[in-house]
Amino acid sequence: MRALLVSLLLIPGLVQAGAWPRAAGEIYLSLSQEVDLDGWTGIYAEYGAPRDLTFGIDIGGHVARGGGALFIGDDEEEDATDGRAIAFLRVPLRVGTTRLPQWKFAAEVGLGADWDDDDTDGRLRLGLSVGRPLTTPLGHGWTNLDAKVEVSDTETARFGAGIVTGFRVTTRQTVELGLFAEREDTTSAAFLPTYQIGVPRLGDLRFGATIRFDGPTDLRIGFARTF
């Protein structure tokens, strides 16, 4: 549960375009790391295809697991490794263009798997994104709502939802506020504030925190770039 929630939390906002399609030929790449010996490492990428289609991959896992005994003591058992990978296609939906001209809608379908040392579980993901631009005293921004369900033959269906509101404070600085929840066997939720700053000719540095309502708070760092 913790691994899945963290993987969902690391990709919203600017990293995941949500209801907005990537421009044709554009590539977006993001690397993220939870600052913890047992932190979640994520790789996320999107590619803008013709007809406003967006292809993407979402890969993550506890890659540092198994080395914890080096820091804790030789008598400690190594943690089991685990991770997930999914490839997806996002399609814009031409709805609300007359009555809600500023709103954007998109549907998503993805195929992938969760894995650990003992098992691999295939997954089918279906999702819906709704978003719109914002103009506020803090600057121009956006808000985006994502809802997803993942099903498999062997595990309980997994439901997730998140809302992110972001503000471009300056041309190089962005602040994002995200709230996320997901349910499988139990329900987990977290609040994610994120600060992003652009570095000329390199990309964007991202700093944030994962504030879990039913667990610990962890810091996050990341790097993102558009090609």
Side-chain angles (χ1 to χ4, degrees):
M1 286 294 295
R2 177 177 179 273
L4 174 69
L5 180 59
V6 170
S7 68
L8 289 175
L9 300 181
L10 290 176
I11 62 174
L14 288 180
V15 175
Q16 184 171 345
W20 287 269
R22 292 285 171 192
E26 181 179 275
I27 298 174
Y28 183 88
L29 176 64
S30 172
L31 307 176
S32 55
Q33 176 65 51
E34 193 176 41
V35 184
D36 189 303
L37 289 177
D38 188 30
W40 183 272
T41 302
I43 301 174
Y44 183 89
E46 289 185 344
Y47 171 74
R51 300 181 182 275
D52 287 338
L53 301 177
T54 300
F55 292 93
I57 57 172
D58 173 13
I59 304 173
H62 288 106
V63 297
R65 281 189 171 179
L70 297 177
F71 302 93
I72 299 172
D74 294 338
D75 57 337
E76 295 288 340
E77 292 185 4
E78 295 183 354
D79 290 329
T81 59
D82 66 293
R84 64 177 305 181
I86 194 161
F88 61 86
L89 170 65
R90 189 177 304 120
V91 182
L93 301 177
R94 310 300 183 186
V95 297
T97 55
T98 301
R99 296 185 178 182
L100 301 170
Q102 290 189 304
W103 290 84
K104 301 291 184 181
F105 300 84
E108 180 181 308
V109 59
L111 290 173
D114 294 356
W115 70 84
D116 56 30
D117 283 345
D118 300 320
D119 192 21
T120 298
D121 176 37
R123 290 274 170 174
L124 168 66
R125 175 194 288 179
L126 300 175
L128 177 67
S129 297
V130 181
R132 63 157 296 170
L134 298 175
T135 301
T136 75
L138 295 178
H140 295 290
W142 75 96
T143 188
N144 190 84
L145 172 65
D146 287 300
K148 293 182 173 66
V149 59
E150 293 184 3
V151 296
S152 74
D153 292 336
T154 59
E155 299 292 336
T156 305
R158 179 185 295 152
F159 301 91
I163 184 169
V164 175
T165 299
F167 308 95
R168 295 190 183 278
V169 182
T170 68
T171 56
R172 293 175 53 198
Q173 299 179 77
T174 302
V175 174
E176 300 171 28
L177 303 174
L179 182 64
F180 302 86
E182 73 109 48
R183 179 172 180 80
E184 191 169 0
D185 297 318
T186 61
T187 300
S188 297
F191 171 65
L192 270 84
T194 302
Y195 169 73
Q196 175 173 292
I197 183 168
V199 179
R201 297 184 296 276
L202 291 179
D204 299 311
L205 297 177
R206 293 170 60 84
F207 306 91
T210 302
I211 304 171
R212 299 176 181 84
F213 296 159
D214 56 352
T217 295
D218 289 304
L219 299 179
R220 293 174 291 109
I221 59 174
F223 173 80
R225 183 169 180 176
T226 301
F227 300 89

